[in-house]
C-alpha cells in the first residue's frame, strides 16, 4: 500500500494567522455554547458539534472565491460560520426559532443560505456527495470557473453513492473538490475496524481522480492543500480528493458518551495537536501580544452570547409555517 502523504504547511502573515485564529475560535466558542443550550433543553433533536475539526473548514474557506459553493453533512455549524453566515441565524435555527436560516423548521442538520452559496447540512449519510457533484455540474454547464467543496466523513466514504459520484465526476470532469473529514471514528467505530483500506483518498485512483491526505489539525497545511486542489479544479482538470486527517473532541452527537475511546486519547490530542492552540503559539512566537489575542477571545464570546440571546428572544414559528416550503412553485418553461 502506498505511503500516506500529508501536505506541508506554508508560510502566512500575522494578519492571515490572526484571521484564521479568529475564525476557528468563533466556531469553537459557538459550538461550546450550542452544547450548553442543548444541555438546558433549548436545542432539541440531533446536534453534532464540530469541536476539534475547525482547521479543516477555515483552511479551505481561505482558498474559496465569491460564487464558490459548499455542501456538507450534519456536522455543519462550523461550515456555516466559516463561509460567513450570521451566528445569530445559525443559533436561532438550532433552537427552532423564526429567526433561523430555515425559519426554525430545519434545525441543526438542515440550514441553507443562497447568499453564501451554502447548500446544506444533510442528515442522510453520504447523500450530500452526489448533490455536490450536481452543483458542480451546474457550474460546468454555465461555463464559469466556480468550484464546489463537498464535505463528508470517513463513515460516509464507504457509501456506494460516493463511488458512483466519483465515477460520474471524473467522467464529466466536474469542478468539485471532495473533502473527506476523517475524524477517525465515524459514528462510533474506529476506521481500523470499519474498513480494510483506510487511505480513503487513494480510492479516487480507480477513477483517475487525484488526491492526497492532509494534516487536518494544521490550518496552514489545509490551506496549502486547498490551494493546490482549487488550482487543479479551476484549470478544468476535473475533481480532486482531499482527505483531512482530523479529530473531534466530543461524541458523534450530544447523545453519544464516546466510550469507544479513552479520555487519555482525547486529552493527548487536545494538548499536542489542537488546531487553535497551534496558531496561537505561532502568533505569540512572531510577536503578537497575548493581550491582543485575549481581546479577540472577548470579542468572540460577545458575538456568541449575542447569538444565544437572539435565539432565546426570537419567537417560535407560527403554526402556519407548517404549510410553507413544502413544494416549490415551478414556472412552466415556454417552448
Amino acid at each position: 500500500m502506498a505511503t500516506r502523504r500529508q501536505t506541508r504547511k506554508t508560510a502566512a502573515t500575522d494578519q492571515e494567522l490572526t484571521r484564521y485564529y479568529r475564525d476557528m475560535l468563533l466556531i469553537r466558542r459557538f459550538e461550546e455554547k450550542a452544547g450548553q443550550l442543548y444541555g438546558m433543553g433549548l436545542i432539541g433533536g440531533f446536534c453534532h458539534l464540530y469541536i476539534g475539526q475547525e482547521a479543516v473548514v477555515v483552511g479551505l474557506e481561505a482558498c474559496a472565491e465569491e460564487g464558490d459553493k459548499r455542501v456538507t453533512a450534519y456536522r455543519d455549524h462550523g461550515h456555516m460560520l466559516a463561509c460567513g453566515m450570521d451566528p445569530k441565524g445559525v443559533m436561532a435555527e438550532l433552537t427552532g426559532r423564526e429567526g433561523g436560516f430555515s425559519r426554525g423548521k430545519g434545525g441543526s442538520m438542515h440550514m441553507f443560505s443562497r447568499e453564501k452559496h451554502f447548500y446544506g447540512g444533510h442528515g442522510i449519510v453520504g447523500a450530500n456527495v452526489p448533490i455536490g457533484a450536481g452543483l458542480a455540474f451546474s457550474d460546468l454547464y454555465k461555463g464559469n470557473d466556480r468550484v464546489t467543496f463537498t464535505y463528508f466523513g470517513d463513515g460516509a466514504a464507504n457509501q456506494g453513492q460516493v463511488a458512483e459520484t466519483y465515477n460520474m465526476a471524473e467522467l464529466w470532469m466536474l469542478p468539485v473538490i471532495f473533502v473527506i473529514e476523517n475524524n477517525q471514528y465515524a459514528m462510533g467505530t474506529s476506521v481500523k475496524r470499519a474498513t480494510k483500506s483506510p487511505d480513503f483518498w487513494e480510492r479516487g485512483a480507480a477513477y483517475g481522480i487525484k488526491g492526497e491526505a492532509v494534516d487536518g489539525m494544521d490550518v496552514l497545511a489545509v490551506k496549502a492543500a486547498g490551494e493546490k486542489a482549487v488550482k487543479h479544479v479551476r484549470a478544468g482538470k476535473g475533481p480532486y480528493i482531499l482527505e483531512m486527517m482530523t479529530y473531534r473532541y466530543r461524541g458523534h452527537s450530544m447523545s453519544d458518551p464516546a466510550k469507544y475511546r479513552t479520555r487519555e486519547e482525547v486529552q493527548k490530542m487536545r494538548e499536542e495537536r489542537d488546531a487553535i492552540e497551534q496558531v496561537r503559539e505561532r502568533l505569540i512566537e512572531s510577536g503578537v501580544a497575548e493581550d491582543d489575542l485575549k481581546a479577540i477571545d472577548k470579542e468572540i464570546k460577545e458575538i456568541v452570547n449575542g447569538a444565544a440571546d437572539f435565539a432565546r428572544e426570537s419567537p417560535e414559528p407560527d403554526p402556519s409555517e407548517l404549510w410553507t416550503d413544502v413544494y416549490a412553485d415551478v414556472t412552466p418553461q415556454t417552448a
Side-chain angles (χ1 to χ4, degrees):
M1 182 176 291
T3 302
R4 172 165 293 197
R5 43 196 182 95
Q6 296 194 348
T7 301
R8 296 178 179 178
K9 61 175 181 267
T10 56
T13 65
D14 287 349
Q15 185 178 11
E16 289 173 327
L17 279 175
T18 300
R19 185 172 77 249
Y20 304 153
Y21 177 79
R22 185 188 182 281
D23 291 347
M24 289 192 293
L25 194 61
L26 173 61
I27 296 172
R28 178 73 58 88
R29 298 290 180 253
F30 182 95
E31 293 290 65
E32 289 171 349
K33 178 62 70 173
Q36 292 175 8
L37 296 184
Y38 190 95
M40 296 166 62
L42 295 175
I43 295 176
F46 291 102
C47 185
H48 306 81
L49 303 182
Y50 200 64
I51 296 174
Q53 300 182 207
E54 297 90 351
V56 175
V57 71
V58 169
L60 289 180
E61 281 294 336
C63 308
E65 296 181 0
E66 178 60 36
D68 289 343
K69 300 175 177 64
R70 61 279 296 160
V71 62
T72 187
Y74 41 73
R75 198 178 308 280
D76 52 3
H77 315 151
H79 303 74
M80 300 172 198
L81 298 174
C83 74
M85 291 170 65
D86 188 345
K88 292 181 178 178
V90 178
M91 193 69 83
E93 188 59 41
L94 288 177
T95 55
R97 304 305 177 98
E98 190 177 85
F101 275 98
S102 295
R103 296 204 292 274
K105 299 187 293 182
S108 175
M109 297 188 287
H110 304 99
M111 281 184 254
F112 308 86
S113 173
R114 293 180 64 181
E115 177 189 2
K116 299 299 182 181
H117 304 285
F118 180 80
Y119 292 89
H122 295 270
I124 299 176
V125 176
N128 59 298
V129 181
I131 291 174
L135 291 169
F137 178 76
S138 172
D139 288 324
L140 180 71
Y141 186 81
K142 294 172 183 175
N144 58 37
D145 65 347
R146 298 300 93 209
V147 170
T148 295
F149 295 87
T150 301
Y151 296 84
F152 55 103
D154 48 291
N158 287 321
Q159 288 280 324
Q161 56 196 320
V162 173
E164 293 172 357
T165 304
Y166 283 172
N167 181 62
M168 192 62 72
E170 180 64 19
L171 183 66
W172 288 350
M173 301 294 282
L174 298 182
V176 56
I177 299 174
F178 296 109
V179 185
I180 305 170
E181 298 196 69
N182 185 352
N183 61 30
Q184 304 175 49
Y185 284 98
M187 186 173 180
T189 303
S190 169
V191 168
K192 296 177 181 178
R193 295 180 57 209
T195 180
K196 190 65 177 178
S197 54
D199 294 303
F200 294 111
W201 68 273
E202 290 186 335
R203 297 180 183 180
Y207 308 94
I209 304 177
K210 293 185 177 181
E212 58 193 290
V214 185
D215 182 357
M217 301 299 284
D218 187 327
V219 69
L220 296 185
V222 172
K223 182 174 182 289
E227 289 173 340
K228 179 179 178 181
V230 166
K231 182 179 180 180
H232 174 94
V233 173
R234 288 202 205 281
K237 297 180 179 179
Y240 202 92
I241 298 174
L242 293 174
E243 181 181 357
M244 296 295 173
M245 306 306 297
T246 186
Y247 196 87
R248 57 172 167 78
Y249 296 160
R250 300 289 185 91
H252 173 70
S253 69
M254 289 298 295
S255 60
D256 173 21
K259 294 182 178 180
Y260 40 81
R261 60 186 182 184
T262 65
R263 292 182 179 180
E264 290 75 18
E265 177 185 309
V266 178
Q267 189 61 30
K268 182 178 176 64
M269 288 294 295
R270 280 184 174 273
E271 293 176 353
E272 299 179 6
R273 304 286 295 119
D274 186 73
I276 299 175
E277 189 60 30
Q278 287 185 62
V279 173
R280 183 178 183 277
E281 291 176 357
R282 288 172 186 162
L283 286 169
I284 292 175
E285 289 174 0
S286 68
V288 175
E290 289 194 49
D291 286 344
D292 292 339
L293 299 179
K294 289 179 180 178
I296 293 174
D297 199 355
K298 180 180 178 182
E299 175 201 359
I300 294 300
K301 287 180 179 178
E302 291 175 353
I303 292 173
V304 170
N305 288 334
D309 291 340
F310 175 81
R312 290 189 183 96
E313 295 167 3
S314 183
E316 294 184 354
D318 187 272
S320 63
E321 282 289 338
L322 282 171
W323 310 108
T324 63
D325 305 316
V326 178
Y327 294 103
D329 293 326
V330 180
T331 302
Q333 294 184 354
T334 58

